[in-house]
C-alpha cells in the first residue's frame, strides 16, 4: 500500500554510502547483457534502498554458504549423531519462536536499525563460535543464541524495510526479495565447492564466511539514515498485534500457505525419487528452475501489488496457481521418463508463479495492515506464524500427502486454493477495521 511514511530529515540527500553500495550492484552486472546485468538494473531507488539491498544480498550469500552444508558439517566433521543435531536445532528453533514479537516491539520503541545491527553482531559471534563446538550441549546453546538473534533481527528487519520502502514499498520489497533469492543461490553454489572438497578446512571456511556476512551486513546498516521512533497512540495496549483479529487470521493463513515452500524443497524431491521415472537430477533441476524464475519475475510481478486489496487478490491467485501445479507434480508418476521431467519443469514454473504471487501478497497485507508505529511487533507476529507453519510442514507433507499418494497431492492443491480464496475477504475486513489506512488504500487503488 502506498503509505506516506514520515519524512526523515535529509532523506533526499545523496548519502556518502551511495558509491559503496553501488559497487556491489555493479559487481552483479560485470557481465554486460547477462543475467547479473539485467538484475542489477532493477535496483535503482534511493540511497537507503540500495544500502539495504546490498546488506541483505551480502547476508543471504553467507546464509547460502552455510545452510546447504551445516548438517553435514556437524554429522560428518564434528561427529554428532544426526538425531542429536536435529534435536538441538528443534530446541533452538522453539526458543527462537518466542523472541520475534518482543524483539519487534523493542525495534519499534528503540529503533529498527539499532536492534537489527545488534542482532546481526550476536549472530556473527555465535556463527563464528560454531567452529569451536565439539559437544551436543555446546551446539545446542550456540544454536539457540543464534536462533533468538535471528528472530529478533527478522522482526527488526521488517520494520526497517517498511521505513526504507518510502512511498512505493511494494516495488522496493519486490526488488529486495529478488536480490535475497539471488544471494542464496550464489551462496549455495559456493557451498557446493566445499561439499566437493569434504575437508574440515572447507567447512570451517563456509561457517566463517557466513559469520563475516553478518558482520558486513551490520556494518553496511551504519550507512542508513537514523529513522526516528514513531510514537504509539495514547492509551494503546502494549502489544496491539494480539488484539488485531484480522491480522491474527492473516498470520494463520500465511503460515498455512507457507507449506508450499516445503512442497518444493522436501515433498517434491521425495516424490521424484520414489514415485516417478524422471532422472534423479530432475530434483536439483526443478529447485534451480524455481530459484531462477523467482529471481527473474519477482520484481516484475511484485511491484504491482501494493495495497491490501491487491494483496488479497494476489493471495487468491497464488492459491489457484498451486491448485494447478500440485496435480501436475502428482501426474509425473504416470508419465514416461522424459515426459515426466518435462511435466515437472512445467509444474515448477506454475508453482514458482504462485510463490511470487504469494510472497507479494504477504508483503502487501503483512505491511499494509500493520500500523507504522508497530511494524516490528507485527512482523514478529507474522514471522511466528510462518515459522510455526514451517515447523509442522515436514510432518504433514511426509505423512498425509505422501501416505495418500496422488489423492494427497489433490487434497493439498484444494487446501492451497481454499486458503487463498479467503484473501479478498480478509483484505476487506482488515482495511475496514483501520479507517485511517482505508482512506489511503482506497486513494491508492483509485
Amino acid at each position: 500500500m502506498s503509505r506516506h511514511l514520515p519524512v526523515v530529515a535529509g532523506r533526499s540527500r545523496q548519502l556518502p554510502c551511495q558509491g559503496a553500495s553501488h559497487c556491489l550492484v555493479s559487481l552483479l552486472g560485470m557481465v554486460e547483457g547477462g543475467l547479473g546485468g539485467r538484475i542489477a538494473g532493477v535496483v535503482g531507488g534511493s540511497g537507503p534502498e540500495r544500502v539495504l539491498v546490498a546488506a541483505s544480498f551480502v547476508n543471504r550469500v553467507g546464509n547460502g554458504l552455510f545452510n546447504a552444508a551445516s548438517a553435514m558439517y556437524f554429522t560428518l566433521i564434528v561427529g554428532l549423531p544426526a538425531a542429536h543435531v536435529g534435536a538441538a536445532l528443534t530446541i533452538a528453533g522453539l526458543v527462537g519462536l518466542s523472541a520475534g514479537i518482543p524483539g519487534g516491539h523493542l525495534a519499534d520503541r528503540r529503533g529498527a536499525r539499532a536492534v537489527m545491527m545488534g542482532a546481526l553482531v550476536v549472530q556473527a559471534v555465535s556463527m563464528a563460535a560454531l567452529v569451536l563446538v565439539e559437544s551436543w550441549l555446546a551446539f545446542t546453546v550456540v544454536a539457540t543464541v543464534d536462533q533468538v538473534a535471528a528472530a529478533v533481527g527478522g522482526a527488526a528487519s521488517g520494520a526497517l524495510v517498511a521505513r526504507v520502502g518510502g512511498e512505493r514499498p511494494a516495488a522496493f520489497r519486490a526488488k529486495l526479495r529478488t536480490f535475497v533469492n539471488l544471494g542464496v543461490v550464489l551462496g549455495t553454489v559456493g557451498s557446493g565447492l566445499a561439499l566437493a572438497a569434504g575437508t574440515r578446512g572447507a567447512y570451517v571456511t563456509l561457517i566463517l564466511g557466513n559469520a563475516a556476512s553478518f558482520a558486513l551486513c551490520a556494518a553496511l546498516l551504519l550507512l542508513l539514515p537514523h529513522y526516528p521512533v514513531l510514537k504509539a497512540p495514547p492509551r494503546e495496549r502494549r502489544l496491539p498485534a494480539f488484539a488485531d483479529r484480522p491480522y491474527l487470521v492473516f498470520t494463520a493463513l500465511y503460515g498455512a500457505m507457507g507449506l508450499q515452500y516445503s512442497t518444493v524443497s522436501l515433498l517434491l524431491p521425495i516424490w521424484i525419487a520414489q514415485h516417478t521415472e524422471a532422472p534423479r537430477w530432475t530434483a536439483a533441476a526443478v529447485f534451480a528452475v524455481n530459484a531462477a524464475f523467482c529471481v527473474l519475475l519477482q520484481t516484475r510481478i511484485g511491484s504491482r501489488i501494493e495495497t491490501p486489496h491487491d494483496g488479497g487478490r494476489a493471495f487468491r491467485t497464488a492459491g489457484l496457481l498451486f491448485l494447478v501445479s500440485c496435480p501436475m507434480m502428482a501426474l509425473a508418476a504416470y508419465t514416461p521418463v522424459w515426459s515426466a521431467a518435462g511435466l515437472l519443469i512445467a509444474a515448477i514454473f506454475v508453482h514458482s508463479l504462485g510463490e511470487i504471487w504469494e510472497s507479494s501478497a504477504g508483503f502487501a497485507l503483512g505491511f499494509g495492515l500493520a500500523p507504522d508505529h508497530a511494524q516490528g511487533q507485527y512482523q514478529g507476529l507474522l514471522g511466528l506464524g510462518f515459522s510455526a507453519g514451517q515447523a509442522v510442514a515436514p510432518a504433514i507433507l511426509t505423512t498425509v500427502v505422501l501416505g495418500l499418494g496422488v489423492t494427497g497431492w489433490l487434497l493439498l492443491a484444494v487446501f492451497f486454493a481454499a486458503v487463498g480464496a479467503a484473501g479478498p475477504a480478509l483484505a476487506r475486513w482488515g482495511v475496514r477495521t483501520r479507517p485511517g489506512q482505508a482512506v489511503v488504500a482506497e486513494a491508492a487503488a483509485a
Side-chain angles (χ1 to χ4, degrees):
M1 180 170 64
S2 182
R3 290 172 297 142
H4 296 278
L5 299 177
V7 178
V8 179
R11 177 169 180 160
S12 61
R13 290 187 294 109
Q14 294 296 316
L15 298 179
C17 64
Q18 184 171 338
S21 63
H22 215 56
C23 286
L24 179 60
V25 174
S26 297
L27 287 175
L28 300 175
M30 287 180 68
V31 181
E32 186 174 0
L35 176 61
R38 290 183 61 191
I39 296 176
V42 307
V43 178
S46 64
E49 288 185 7
R50 288 193 290 272
V51 170
L52 194 54
V53 166
S56 300
F57 176 81
V58 167
N59 186 222
R60 293 304 182 179
V61 170
N63 292 166
L65 287 172
F66 176 73
N67 290 343
S70 57
M72 297 184 69
Y73 170 74
F74 291 110
T75 55
L76 299 180
I77 305 300
V78 178
L80 297 177
H84 290 186
V85 173
L89 294 176
T90 299
I91 293 171
L94 291 174
V95 175
L97 283 177
S98 64
I101 296 174
H105 182 68
L106 181 65
D108 292 329
R109 302 281 64 84
R110 293 290 181 265
R113 186 186 70 161
V115 172
M116 186 177 174
M117 288 174 60
L120 287 167
V121 170
V122 171
Q123 285 191 277
V125 174
S126 62
M127 188 59 55
L130 286 177
V131 302
L132 305 176
V133 165
E134 296 292 341
S135 68
W136 177 82
L137 180 60
F139 176 48
T140 303
V141 171
V142 174
T144 299
V145 171
D146 177 74
Q147 286 300 302
V148 169
V152 172
S157 173
L160 192 59
V161 168
R163 300 300 295 272
V164 174
E167 303 213 352
R168 288 206 66 199
F172 169 60
R173 291 191 294 264
K175 289 187 289 187
L176 185 62
R177 190 170 189 269
T178 295
F179 278 87
V180 163
N181 287 334
L182 180 62
V184 171
V185 171
L186 295 180
T188 302
V189 171
S191 72
L193 300 177
L195 290 173
T199 64
R200 183 184 185 93
Y203 282 102
V204 167
T205 300
L206 294 181
I207 294 173
L208 295 180
N210 193 23
S213 77
F214 286 118
L216 180 55
C217 182
L220 286 172
L221 294 185
L222 286 171
L223 304 175
L224 288 175
H226 172 68
Y227 294 100
V229 173
L230 302 178
K231 292 184 178 180
R235 294 185 297 278
E236 180 182 75
R237 61 185 299 167
R238 191 167 186 269
L239 296 175
F242 286 108
D244 193 332
R245 286 184 294 173
Y247 205 90
L248 288 171
V249 172
F250 171 64
T251 297
L253 294 177
Y254 190 64
M257 191 72 94
L259 266 66
Q260 63 92 4
Y261 292 101
S262 295
T263 298
V264 175
S265 62
L266 175 65
L267 178 61
L268 185 57
I270 296 175
W271 184 256
I272 291 173
Q274 296 182 358
H275 297 275
T276 76
E277 296 181 7
R280 295 295 174 260
W281 54 259
T282 306
V286 296
F287 190 80
V289 170
N290 173 247
F293 279 133
C294 289
V295 168
L296 292 173
L297 299 177
Q298 180 71 55
T299 300
R300 179 172 297 181
I301 295 173
S303 61
R304 302 197 301 266
I305 302 170
E306 297 192 22
T307 70
H309 291 298
D310 294 338
R313 291 190 291 268
F315 205 61
R316 179 178 60 194
T317 300
L320 294 175
L321 287 167
F322 296 144
L323 179 64
V324 175
S325 67
C326 288
M328 293 174 67
M329 296 175 189
L331 289 175
Y334 299 95
T335 54
V337 178
W338 295 110
S339 298
L343 181 59
L344 288 168
I345 295 298
I348 205 65
F349 171 70
V350 177
H351 197 91
S352 300
L353 289 176
E355 179 179 330
I356 294 170
W357 284 96
E358 182 260 352
S359 64
S360 301
F363 292 148
L365 289 165
F367 286 94
L369 296 181
D372 291 336
H373 68 276
Q375 281 286 353
Q377 181 189 144
Y378 274 69
Q379 299 313 310
L381 175 61
L382 192 62
L384 173 62
F386 180 80
S387 298
Q390 296 304 293
V392 302
I396 293 175
L397 297 178
T398 57
T399 57
V400 178
V401 178
L402 279 180
L404 294 175
V406 172
T407 302
W409 278 100
L410 296 178
L411 289 175
L412 182 64
V414 172
F415 171 77
F416 284 139
V419 171
L426 175 67
R428 291 192 296 270
W429 181 26
V431 171
R432 189 170 61 248
T433 55
R434 35 192 57 72
Q437 295 191 33
V439 175
V440 178
E442 293 301 336

